[in-house]
């Protein structure tokens, strides 16, 4: 494990919206997890990117936040991290409604590769410094690895014994269908419409909102917030409420 200096850790916690609301106890629980993430896998700079220790620390902290209560074994599938300066091009195949395969090249802010590589755009990570910005590319891609811990990314991660699997399936499917209806009708949904892509992206986008804008997630669907709170073993909504009330000294 890499020992993260307390001063550097406090500065990072004050800077990142996801961490600023953590209690002093939770920040200290997260610090060794981030150190383990840094020590457990190599980081590579993509293209002409200059990857500093400070950048790597921010990525490690954000990647470890979702498993604060779950444990680091959930991130065992991440074997390396590649960081590009900006969005990167990816070639992939898409099948249209007629069954015709098209070769497509588009820009991505992040990807979770099945062989264990976490690919990220630093520009998109930087955008996350805005507390009103919903997206967290690190949490989004880490959520894909968590989702796929049972062998498939399908919006149904391995659930603990105390979780009602049938209720999870019902509530997530109903909300996913409702979101797709809103998108199809041209309405502006309460969350990023990218979540309507498929169940895996739905889970990843919801995880972003859960950790960054929990109040907006509750507005979209309070039941899904409760499911994610039980699954992740965290309550960001209560954290942000305490922070806004001055009960948590940010970054201390």
């Amino acid at each position: 494990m890499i020992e993260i200096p307390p001063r550097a850790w406090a500065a990072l916690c004050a800077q990142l919206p996801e961490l600023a609301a953590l209690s002093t106890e939770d920040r200290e629980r997260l610090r060794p997890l981030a150190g383990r993430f840094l020590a457990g896998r190599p980081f590579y700079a993509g293209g002409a990117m200059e990857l500093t220790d400070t950048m790597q620390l921010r990525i490690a902290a954000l990647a470890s936040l979702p498993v604060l209560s779950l444990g680091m074994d959930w991130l065992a599938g991440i074997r390396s991290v590649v960081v590009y300066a900006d969005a990167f091009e990816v070639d992939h195949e898409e099948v249209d409604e007629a069954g015709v395969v098209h070769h497509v090249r588009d820009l991505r802010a992040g990807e979770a590769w099945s062989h264990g590589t976490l690919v990220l755009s630093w520009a998109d990570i930087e955008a996350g410094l805005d507390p009103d910005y919903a997206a967290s590319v690190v949490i989004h891609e880490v959520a894909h690895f968590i989702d796929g811990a049972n062998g498939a990314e399908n919006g149904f991660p391995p659930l603990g014994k105390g979780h009602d699997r049938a209720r999870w399936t019902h509530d997530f499917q109903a909300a996913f269908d409702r979101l797709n209806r809103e998108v199809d009708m041209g309405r502006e949904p309460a969350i990023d419409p990218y979540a309507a892509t498929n169940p895996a992206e739905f889970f990843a986008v919801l995880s972003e909102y859960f950790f960054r804008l929990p109040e907006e997630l509750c507005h979209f669907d309070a039941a899904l917030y409760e499911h994610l709170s039980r699954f992740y073993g965290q309550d960001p909504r209560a954290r942000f409420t305490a922070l806004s009330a001055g009960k948590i000294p940010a970054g201390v």
Side-chain angles (χ1 to χ4, degrees), residues 75-224:
L75 302 187
I78 303 177
R79 298 183 177 87
S80 62
V81 180
V82 176
V83 186
Y84 288 91
D86 211 329
F88 48 92
E89 290 188 337
V90 174
D91 294 315
H92 62 100
E93 294 182 345
E94 290 184 356
V95 181
D96 63 22
E97 295 181 356
V100 178
V101 177
H102 301 271
H103 296 278
V104 180
R105 171 174 292 183
D106 55 18
L107 291 174
R108 298 287 176 87
E111 283 211 323
W113 292 353
S114 59
H115 63 262
T117 300
L118 172 63
V119 191
L120 302 164
S121 156
W122 182 253
D124 287 274
I125 296 173
E126 282 277 80
L129 294 178
D130 180 352
D132 296 323
Y133 187 63
S136 173
V137 63
V138 178
I139 289 176
H140 182 104
E141 300 307 332
V142 165
H144 280 312
F145 279 103
I146 290 173
D147 182 18
N150 56 3
E153 292 181 18
N154 55 11
F156 196 97
L159 301 178
K161 293 182 179 179
H163 214 120
D164 187 332
R165 291 165 172 78
R167 177 55 59 183
W168 174 290
T169 300
H170 174 274
D171 291 348
F172 272 79
Q173 187 65 54
F176 180 70
D177 291 342
R178 186 177 74 249
L179 176 63
N180 272 274
R181 287 195 298 269
E182 292 176 355
V183 171
D184 290 344
M185 295 173 67
R187 296 176 179 172
E188 184 68 27
I191 62 172
D192 185 349
Y194 185 66
T197 304
N198 55 54
E201 296 300 347
F202 189 57
F203 175 76
V205 171
L206 291 181
S207 295
E208 295 179 77
Y209 277 82
F210 177 75
F211 286 105
R212 285 188 63 87
L213 297 174
E215 198 64 44
E216 292 192 17
L217 175 56
C218 287
H219 177 70
F220 171 69
D221 195 304
L224 297 191

Side-chain angles (χ1 to χ4, degrees), residues 6 9-11 13-14 19-20 22-25 27-28 243 248-252:
W9 183 246
C13 288
L19 306 188
L22 290 174
S23 66
T24 300
E25 178 184 4
R27 290 174 195 151
E28 286 309 301
L243 181 65
I248 298 175
V252 176

Side-chain angles (χ1 to χ4, degrees), residues 24-88:
T24 300
E25 178 184 4
D26 282 344
R27 290 174 195 151
E28 286 309 301
R29 285 203 301 134
L30 184 63
R31 184 157 65 107
L33 299 186
R36 287 175 60 186
F37 188 91
L38 286 170
R41 55 202 44 83
F43 280 66
Y44 301 104
M49 176 73 179
E50 292 185 13
L51 189 59
T52 67
D53 291 344
T54 301
M55 293 175 176
Q56 293 179 55
L57 175 57
R58 189 192 299 183
I59 292 168
L62 292 173
S64 302
L65 177 60
V67 299
L68 177 62
S69 296
L70 292 173
M72 290 298 289
D73 287 348
W74 284 78
L75 302 187
I78 303 177
R79 298 183 177 87
S80 62
V81 180
V82 176
V83 186
Y84 288 91
D86 211 329
F88 48 92

